[in-house]
PDB file of all heavy atoms in Angstrom:
ATOM      1  N   ASN A  61     103.589  88.329-232.197  1.00 98.00           N
ATOM      2  CA  ASN A  61     102.640  87.354-232.704  1.00 98.00           C
ATOM      3  C   ASN A  61     101.190  87.837-232.590  1.00 98.00           C
ATOM      4  O   ASN A  61     100.910  88.941-232.115  1.00 98.00           O
ATOM      5  CB  ASN A  61     102.844  85.949-232.060  1.00 98.00           C
ATOM      6  CG  ASN A  61     102.398  85.855-230.617  1.00 98.00           C
ATOM      7  OD1 ASN A  61     101.642  86.705-230.121  1.00 98.00           O
ATOM      8  ND2 ASN A  61     102.823  84.782-229.925  1.00 98.00           N
ATOM      9  N   LEU A  63      98.881  87.082-230.612  1.00 98.00           N
ATOM     10  CA  LEU A  63      98.409  87.317-229.231  1.00 98.00           C
ATOM     11  C   LEU A  63      98.962  88.660-228.688  1.00 98.00           C
ATOM     12  O   LEU A  63      98.578  89.055-227.598  1.00 98.00           O
ATOM     13  CB  LEU A  63      98.853  86.183-228.315  1.00 98.00           C
ATOM     14  CG  LEU A  63      98.194  84.854-228.570  1.00 98.00           C
ATOM     15  CD1 LEU A  63      98.924  83.746-227.757  1.00 98.00           C
ATOM     16  CD2 LEU A  63      96.721  84.897-228.220  1.00 98.00           C
ATOM     17  N   SER A  65     102.323  88.805-228.110  1.00 98.00           N
ATOM     18  CA  SER A  65     103.572  88.448-227.467  1.00 98.00           C
ATOM     19  C   SER A  65     104.723  88.906-228.342  1.00 98.00           C
ATOM     20  O   SER A  65     104.592  88.976-229.623  1.00 98.00           O
ATOM     21  CB  SER A  65     103.688  86.934-227.302  1.00 98.00           C
ATOM     22  OG  SER A  65     102.614  86.483-226.508  1.00 98.00           O
ATOM     23  N   TYR A  82     111.592  86.351-224.536  1.00 98.00           N
ATOM     24  CA  TYR A  82     110.190  86.256-224.951  1.00 98.00           C
ATOM     25  C   TYR A  82     109.329  86.888-223.881  1.00 98.00           C
ATOM     26  O   TYR A  82     109.406  86.547-222.715  1.00 98.00           O
ATOM     27  CB  TYR A  82     109.836  84.760-225.085  1.00 98.00           C
ATOM     28  CG  TYR A  82     108.565  84.488-225.886  1.00 98.00           C
ATOM     29  CD1 TYR A  82     108.642  83.908-227.148  1.00 98.00           C
ATOM     30  CD2 TYR A  82     107.312  84.766-225.403  1.00 98.00           C
ATOM     31  CE1 TYR A  82     107.536  83.588-227.890  1.00 98.00           C
ATOM     32  CE2 TYR A  82     106.183  84.532-226.141  1.00 98.00           C
ATOM     33  CZ  TYR A  82     106.288  83.937-227.370  1.00 98.00           C
ATOM     34  OH  TYR A  82     105.162  83.676-228.131  1.00 98.00           O
ATOM     35  N   THR A  84     105.607  87.177-223.137  1.00 98.00           N
ATOM     36  CA  THR A  84     104.268  86.709-223.524  1.00 98.00           C
ATOM     37  C   THR A  84     103.203  87.745-223.129  1.00 98.00           C
ATOM     38  O   THR A  84     103.311  88.392-222.085  1.00 98.00           O
ATOM     39  CB  THR A  84     103.955  85.350-222.931  1.00 98.00           C
ATOM     40  OG1 THR A  84     102.665  84.909-223.362  1.00 98.00           O
ATOM     41  CG2 THR A  84     103.992  85.362-221.400  1.00 98.00           C
ATOM     42  N   ALA A  85     102.151  87.852-223.971  1.00 98.00           N
ATOM     43  CA  ALA A  85     101.037  88.764-223.623  1.00 98.00           C
ATOM     44  C   ALA A  85     100.010  88.095-222.757  1.00 98.00           C
ATOM     45  O   ALA A  85      99.139  88.759-222.177  1.00 98.00           O
ATOM     46  CB  ALA A  85     100.391  89.218-224.906  1.00 98.00           C
ATOM     47  N   VAL A  86     100.067  86.747-222.692  1.00 97.00           N
ATOM     48  CA  VAL A  86      99.103  85.948-221.909  1.00 97.00           C
ATOM     49  C   VAL A  86      99.816  84.910-221.076  1.00 97.00           C
ATOM     50  O   VAL A  86     100.975  84.547-221.333  1.00 97.00           O
ATOM     51  CB  VAL A  86      98.093  85.246-222.845  1.00 97.00           C
ATOM     52  CG1 VAL A  86      97.257  86.246-223.670  1.00 97.00           C
ATOM     53  CG2 VAL A  86      98.830  84.283-223.791  1.00 97.00           C
ATOM     54  N   SER A  87      99.078  84.428-220.061  1.00 97.00           N
ATOM     55  CA  SER A  87      99.680  83.339-219.214  1.00 97.00           C
ATOM     56  C   SER A  87      98.587  82.366-218.814  1.00 97.00           C
ATOM     57  O   SER A  87      97.447  82.756-218.557  1.00 97.00           O
ATOM     58  CB  SER A  87     100.305  83.990-217.999  1.00 97.00           C
ATOM     59  OG  SER A  87     100.765  82.954-217.111  1.00 97.00           O
ATOM     60  N   ALA A  88      98.990  81.074-218.753  1.00 94.00           N
ATOM     61  CA  ALA A  88      98.031  80.044-218.314  1.00 94.00           C
ATOM     62  C   ALA A  88      98.107  79.919-216.750  1.00 94.00           C
ATOM     63  O   ALA A  88      97.196  79.389-216.132  1.00 94.00           O
ATOM     64  CB  ALA A  88      98.418  78.723-218.936  1.00 94.00           C
ATOM     65  N   SER A  89      99.189  80.450-216.174  1.00 85.00           N
ATOM     66  CA  SER A  89      99.336  80.343-214.708  1.00 85.00           C
ATOM     67  C   SER A  89      99.217  81.748-214.107  1.00 85.00           C
ATOM     68  O   SER A  89      99.992  82.621-214.431  1.00 85.00           O
ATOM     69  CB  SER A  89     100.687  79.764-214.370  1.00 85.00           C
ATOM     70  OG  SER A  89     101.696  80.544-214.972  1.00 85.00           O
ATOM     71  N   TRP A 121     110.109  79.439-219.110  1.00 98.00           N
ATOM     72  CA  TRP A 121     109.418  80.544-218.463  1.00 98.00           C
ATOM     73  C   TRP A 121     110.043  80.819-217.059  1.00 98.00           C
ATOM     74  O   TRP A 121     110.177  79.911-216.250  1.00 98.00           O
ATOM     75  CB  TRP A 121     107.910  80.260-218.322  1.00 98.00           C
ATOM     76  CG  TRP A 121     107.314  80.008-219.669  1.00 98.00           C
ATOM     77  CD1 TRP A 121     106.893  78.832-220.177  1.00 98.00           C
ATOM     78  CD2 TRP A 121     107.077  81.017-220.692  1.00 98.00           C
ATOM     79  NE1 TRP A 121     106.462  78.981-221.460  1.00 98.00           N
ATOM     80  CE2 TRP A 121     106.535  80.332-221.803  1.00 98.00           C
ATOM     81  CE3 TRP A 121     107.287  82.358-220.768  1.00 98.00           C
ATOM     82  CZ2 TRP A 121     106.183  80.953-222.979  1.00 98.00           C
ATOM     83  CZ3 TRP A 121     106.947  83.018-221.977  1.00 98.00           C
ATOM     84  CH2 TRP A 121     106.377  82.307-223.028  1.00 98.00           C
ATOM     85  N   PHE A 123     108.751  82.959-214.852  1.00 96.00           N
ATOM     86  CA  PHE A 123     107.805  83.300-213.817  1.00 96.00           C
ATOM     87  C   PHE A 123     106.822  82.150-213.531  1.00 96.00           C
ATOM     88  O   PHE A 123     105.889  82.321-212.772  1.00 96.00           O
ATOM     89  CB  PHE A 123     107.018  84.537-214.256  1.00 96.00           C
ATOM     90  CG  PHE A 123     106.230  84.361-215.506  1.00 96.00           C
ATOM     91  CD1 PHE A 123     104.914  83.933-215.507  1.00 96.00           C
ATOM     92  CD2 PHE A 123     106.838  84.560-216.762  1.00 96.00           C
ATOM     93  CE1 PHE A 123     104.204  83.757-216.694  1.00 96.00           C
ATOM     94  CE2 PHE A 123     106.104  84.391-217.928  1.00 96.00           C
ATOM     95  CZ  PHE A 123     104.812  83.966-217.884  1.00 96.00           C
ATOM     96  N   SER A 124     107.052  80.973-214.163  1.00 96.00           N
ATOM     97  CA  SER A 124     106.212  79.787-213.846  1.00 96.00           C
ATOM     98  C   SER A 124     107.062  78.558-214.002  1.00 96.00           C
ATOM     99  O   SER A 124     108.243  78.634-214.432  1.00 96.00           O
ATOM    100  CB  SER A 124     105.018  79.727-214.794  1.00 96.00           C
ATOM    101  OG  SER A 124     105.410  79.235-216.073  1.00 96.00           O
ATOM    102  N   ASP A 125     106.471  77.400-213.678  1.00 96.00           N
ATOM    103  CA  ASP A 125     107.217  76.150-213.807  1.00 96.00           C
ATOM    104  C   ASP A 125     107.025  75.512-215.183  1.00 96.00           C
ATOM    105  O   ASP A 125     107.385  74.357-215.399  1.00 96.00           O
ATOM    106  CB  ASP A 125     106.685  75.135-212.742  1.00 96.00           C
ATOM    107  CG  ASP A 125     107.050  75.590-211.347  1.00 96.00           C
ATOM    108  OD1 ASP A 125     108.160  76.151-211.138  1.00 96.00           O
ATOM    109  OD2 ASP A 125     106.170  75.396-210.450  1.00 96.00           O
ATOM    110  N   SER A 126     106.443  76.260-216.112  1.00 97.00           N
ATOM    111  CA  SER A 126     106.118  75.672-217.423  1.00 97.00           C
ATOM    112  C   SER A 126     107.255  75.843-218.418  1.00 97.00           C
ATOM    113  O   SER A 126     108.160  76.649-218.232  1.00 97.00           O
ATOM    114  CB  SER A 126     104.863  76.379-217.962  1.00 97.00           C
ATOM    115  OG  SER A 126     103.804  76.235-217.040  1.00 97.00           O
ATOM    116  N   THR A 128     107.609  75.949-222.875  1.00 98.00           N
ATOM    117  CA  THR A 128     106.966  75.856-224.203  1.00 98.00           C
ATOM    118  C   THR A 128     108.004  75.543-225.265  1.00 98.00           C
ATOM    119  O   THR A 128     109.076  76.145-225.232  1.00 98.00           O
ATOM    120  CB  THR A 128     106.252  77.172-224.538  1.00 98.00           C
ATOM    121  OG1 THR A 128     105.295  77.476-223.508  1.00 98.00           O
ATOM    122  CG2 THR A 128     105.492  77.084-225.863  1.00 98.00           C
ATOM    123  N   PHE A 130     108.352  75.637-229.441  1.00 99.00           N
ATOM    124  CA  PHE A 130     107.800  76.130-230.729  1.00 99.00           C
ATOM    125  C   PHE A 130     108.536  75.475-231.853  1.00 99.00           C
ATOM    126  O   PHE A 130     109.791  75.343-231.795  1.00 99.00           O
ATOM    127  CB  PHE A 130     107.944  77.616-230.903  1.00 99.00           C
ATOM    128  CG  PHE A 130     107.076  78.470-230.030  1.00 99.00           C
ATOM    129  CD1 PHE A 130     107.394  78.744-228.731  1.00 99.00           C
ATOM    130  CD2 PHE A 130     105.936  79.088-230.564  1.00 99.00           C
ATOM    131  CE1 PHE A 130     106.600  79.585-227.942  1.00 99.00           C
ATOM    132  CE2 PHE A 130     105.141  79.911-229.825  1.00 99.00           C
ATOM    133  CZ  PHE A 130     105.486  80.173-228.494  1.00 99.00           C
ATOM    134  N   TRP A 148     103.011  75.159-231.217  1.00 99.00           N
ATOM    135  CA  TRP A 148     103.673  75.015-229.945  1.00 99.00           C
ATOM    136  C   TRP A 148     103.003  74.022-229.038  1.00 99.00           C
ATOM    137  O   TRP A 148     101.818  73.671-229.192  1.00 99.00           O
ATOM    138  CB  TRP A 148     103.706  76.415-229.221  1.00 99.00           C
ATOM    139  CG  TRP A 148     102.432  77.177-229.120  1.00 99.00           C
ATOM    140  CD1 TRP A 148     102.035  78.184-229.933  1.00 99.00           C
ATOM    141  CD2 TRP A 148     101.369  76.976-228.158  1.00 99.00           C
ATOM    142  NE1 TRP A 148     100.772  78.642-229.544  1.00 99.00           N
ATOM    143  CE2 TRP A 148     100.344  77.943-228.416  1.00 99.00           C
ATOM    144  CE3 TRP A 148     101.190  76.126-227.073  1.00 99.00           C
ATOM    145  CZ2 TRP A 148      99.182  78.041-227.685  1.00 99.00           C
ATOM    146  CZ3 TRP A 148     100.009  76.231-226.353  1.00 99.00           C
ATOM    147  CH2 TRP A 148      99.020  77.152-226.642  1.00 99.00           C
ATOM    148  N   LEU A 150     102.745  73.663-224.841  1.00 98.00           N
ATOM    149  CA  LEU A 150     102.979  74.282-223.514  1.00 98.00           C
ATOM    150  C   LEU A 150     102.788  73.220-222.463  1.00 98.00           C
ATOM    151  O   LEU A 150     101.677  72.697-222.308  1.00 98.00           O
ATOM    152  CB  LEU A 150     102.046  75.423-223.318  1.00 98.00           C
ATOM    153  CG  LEU A 150     101.947  76.051-221.925  1.00 98.00           C
ATOM    154  CD1 LEU A 150     103.253  76.599-221.413  1.00 98.00           C
ATOM    155  CD2 LEU A 150     100.869  77.162-221.899  1.00 98.00           C
ATOM    156  N   ASN A 169     100.852  79.943-233.455  1.00 98.00           N
ATOM    157  CA  ASN A 169     101.006  81.434-233.488  1.00 98.00           C
ATOM    158  C   ASN A 169     101.657  81.836-234.780  1.00 98.00           C
ATOM    159  O   ASN A 169     102.514  81.125-235.287  1.00 98.00           O
ATOM    160  CB  ASN A 169     101.909  81.912-232.320  1.00 98.00           C
ATOM    161  CG  ASN A 169     101.204  81.948-230.977  1.00 98.00           C
ATOM    162  OD1 ASN A 169     101.743  81.545-229.945  1.00 98.00           O
ATOM    163  ND2 ASN A 169      99.977  82.463-230.954  1.00 98.00           N
ATOM    164  N   PHE A 171     103.912  84.977-236.286  1.00 98.00           N
ATOM    165  CA  PHE A 171     104.741  86.134-235.908  1.00 98.00           C
ATOM    166  C   PHE A 171     105.068  86.992-237.124  1.00 98.00           C
ATOM    167  O   PHE A 171     105.383  86.431-238.173  1.00 98.00           O
ATOM    168  CB  PHE A 171     106.045  85.640-235.284  1.00 98.00           C
ATOM    169  CG  PHE A 171     105.948  84.931-233.952  1.00 98.00           C
ATOM    170  CD1 PHE A 171     105.624  83.602-233.916  1.00 98.00           C
ATOM    171  CD2 PHE A 171     106.217  85.583-232.779  1.00 98.00           C
ATOM    172  CE1 PHE A 171     105.504  82.911-232.695  1.00 98.00           C
ATOM    173  CE2 PHE A 171     106.139  84.928-231.553  1.00 98.00           C
ATOM    174  CZ  PHE A 171     105.779  83.595-231.490  1.00 98.00           C
TER     175      PHE A 171
HETATM  176  C1  BTN B 215     102.732  80.196-218.424  1.00 54.33           C
HETATM  177  O1  BTN B 215     101.574  80.495-218.667  1.00 54.33           O
HETATM  178  O2  BTN B 215     103.075  79.501-217.447  1.00 54.33           O
HETATM  179  C2  BTN B 215     103.803  80.655-219.357  1.00 54.33           C
HETATM  180  C3  BTN B 215     103.331  81.494-220.498  1.00 54.33           C
HETATM  181  C4  BTN B 215     102.811  80.726-221.652  1.00 54.33           C
HETATM  182  C5  BTN B 215     102.452  81.597-222.796  1.00 54.33           C
HETATM  183  C6  BTN B 215     101.923  80.821-223.981  1.00 54.33           C
HETATM  184  S1  BTN B 215     103.185  79.934-224.862  1.00 54.33           S
HETATM  185  C7  BTN B 215     102.126  79.677-226.195  1.00 54.33           C
HETATM  186  C8  BTN B 215     101.288  80.906-226.389  1.00 54.33           C
HETATM  187  N1  BTN B 215     101.917  81.878-227.235  1.00 54.33           N
HETATM  188  C9  BTN B 215     102.212  82.970-226.578  1.00 54.33           C
HETATM  189  O3  BTN B 215     102.757  83.957-227.099  1.00 54.33           O
HETATM  190  N2  BTN B 215     101.889  82.867-225.318  1.00 54.33           N
HETATM  191  C10 BTN B 215     101.221  81.653-225.031  1.00 54.33           C
END
Side-chain angles (χ1 to χ4, degrees):
N61 74 15
L63 293 170
S65 300
Y82 197 110
T84 181
V86 297
S87 173
S89 56
W121 301 106
F123 62 92
S124 77
D125 294 322
S126 302
T128 303
F130 286 81
W148 51 261
L150 167 59
N169 282 137
F171 293 82

